[in-house]
Amino acid sequence: MPANTAPDPADTPAGALGPTALVLGAIAAVSTWPTIMLLPVMFLAGGLAVTFGLMGAHYARLGIGRMWTAVTGAVLGATGLLYLPFLLLLAP
């Protein structure tokens, strides 16, 4: 007889929100480097990283996924998302 195939609560797609936010946040943060400076990638990856990171933090509080990946991804995404407006405000 096969083993029980009931899903584990950690086997939901919500468990992938933190790592996805971390990867998108890293892409957004790397895009802020002056020699790379990919504006569309920076804005899209940054916005998605913040969104997925906040959703991942919500589900991590419920016990699904890891908090550190979600928070790190959200912070890196916010860095990439807010870099250009911050740079333009401080430009002489």
Side-chain angles (χ1 to χ4, degrees), residues 19-39:
T20 304
L22 184 62
V23 169
L24 288 172
I27 291 170
V30 167
S31 296
T32 61
W33 194 259
T35 57
I36 297 173
M37 200 60 129
L38 301 169
L39 292 177

Side-chain angles (χ1 to χ4, degrees), residues 1-87:
M1 188 153 161
N4 188 4
T5 59
D8 186 24
D11 290 341
T12 65
L17 289 171
T20 304
L22 184 62
V23 169
L24 288 172
I27 291 170
V30 167
S31 296
T32 61
W33 194 259
T35 57
I36 297 173
M37 200 60 129
L38 301 169
L39 292 177
V41 173
M42 187 170 50
F43 285 132
L44 289 173
L48 286 173
V50 170
T51 304
F52 290 164
L54 292 177
M55 289 190 318
H58 168 72
Y59 282 110
R61 287 181 54 107
L62 298 176
I64 301 170
R66 305 230 181 240
M67 182 68 80
W68 74 269
T69 57
V71 171
T72 307
V75 168
L76 288 173
T79 302
L81 188 62
L82 299 175
Y83 176 74
L84 187 63
F86 177 75
L87 186 67

